[in-house]
Amino acid sequence: YEWENMYYASDFFGRLYEIAESMIMKGVAYVDDQTAEEMRMNRGTLTTPGTNSPYRDRSVEENLDLFRRMKAGEFPEGRYALRAKIDMAAANVVMRDPAMYRILYKEHWRTGNKWCIYPMYDFAHPIGDALEGISHSLCSLEYEIHRPLYDWVVEKSAHMLPARPRQIEFARLNM
């Protein structure tokens, strides 16, 4: 499959990294020190808003420095995560500053040990669709709550993408 070659090729990881850096520079992404458990606790519930990370308002320079050091392998797994800066009070819990990158020391089957930070699916999916020229990404209904994040990623990275894909959900039996 052509998409497999794109998704797992080193240049794809490089493009994702460049887009993540551009989001940091635009002030819509930040490096968070909270543990995964702290992020979960601060996310809030379906009826109560989340709480902003104490690291949410770091300077662009500090965020870029930390993200570049994450990429260089200076920190242990789980120490930092790159998060989108959206809205911790959003009704859709998916939009409450979701993780975009995490540190993971695991050999990748295509890129070996070149990368020690990996993008999260909700960040990589819309960018991959755009880079592949996909106009309509068809997803099953369980992804419907993720569509606002898909659209947010496309909007915030549109200046670096060749296309603006749309995610459309469908019921499997209706296809």
Side-chain angles (χ1 to χ4, degrees):
Y1 297 106
E2 186 60 35
W3 66 269
E4 279 187 329
N5 293 330
M6 177 84 166
Y7 260 101
Y8 298 109
S10 185
D11 60 323
F12 178 69
F13 281 116
R15 292 293 303 273
L16 287 171
Y17 179 83
E18 290 170 4
I19 290 169
E21 274 202 357
S22 80
M23 288 184 175
I24 292 170
M25 289 185 254
K26 288 167 45 173
V28 297
Y30 65 100
V31 175
D32 197 352
D33 286 37
Q34 294 182 103
T35 65
E37 182 59 30
E38 289 171 322
M39 284 186 221
R40 245 188 313 280
M41 288 181 358
N42 290 333
R43 185 171 290 130
T45 67
L46 294 174
T47 57
T48 60
T51 305
N52 283 351
S53 166
Y55 309 101
R56 193 174 199 264
D57 295 320
R58 279 190 166 125
S59 70
V60 168
E61 295 75 25
E62 189 176 359
N63 280 311
L64 276 175
D65 176 61
L66 286 170
F67 191 53
R68 289 171 179 163
R69 290 171 61 199
M70 285 170 61
K71 179 184 176 222
E74 291 185 29
F75 306 114
E77 251 181 54
R79 175 66 177 95
Y80 292 106
L82 181 69
R83 296 177 71 182
K85 189 187 290 187
I86 304 177
D87 180 5
M88 290 301 289
N92 182 345
V93 179
V94 171
M95 297 299 285
R96 295 184 185 172
D97 289 9
M100 296 166 55
Y101 265 92
R102 82 264 188 231
I103 301 170
L104 182 64
Y105 293 100
K106 186 173 180 180
E107 187 170 327
H108 189 276
W109 68 283
R110 292 250 181 169
T111 61
N113 292 312
K114 180 177 179 181
W115 293 92
C116 61
I117 58 172
Y118 288 94
M120 304 303 285
Y121 176 80
D122 281 337
F123 175 66
H125 176 208
I127 294 170
D129 286 350
L131 294 175
E132 293 171 24
I134 293 171
S135 61
H136 296 78
S137 180
L138 300 178
C139 301
S140 53
L141 288 177
E142 64 264 23
Y143 290 97
E144 187 172 24
I145 64 167
H146 294 261
R147 185 178 351 126
L149 181 54
Y150 184 101
D151 294 342
W152 184 90
V153 171
V154 169
E155 176 190 327
K156 299 302 180 193
S157 56
H159 66 289
M160 298 180 78
L161 300 176
R164 292 188 72 138
R166 287 184 29 191
Q167 178 175 301
I168 298 172
E169 302 81 25
F170 64 92
R172 291 180 185 169
L173 294 175
N174 291 338
M175 191 69 161

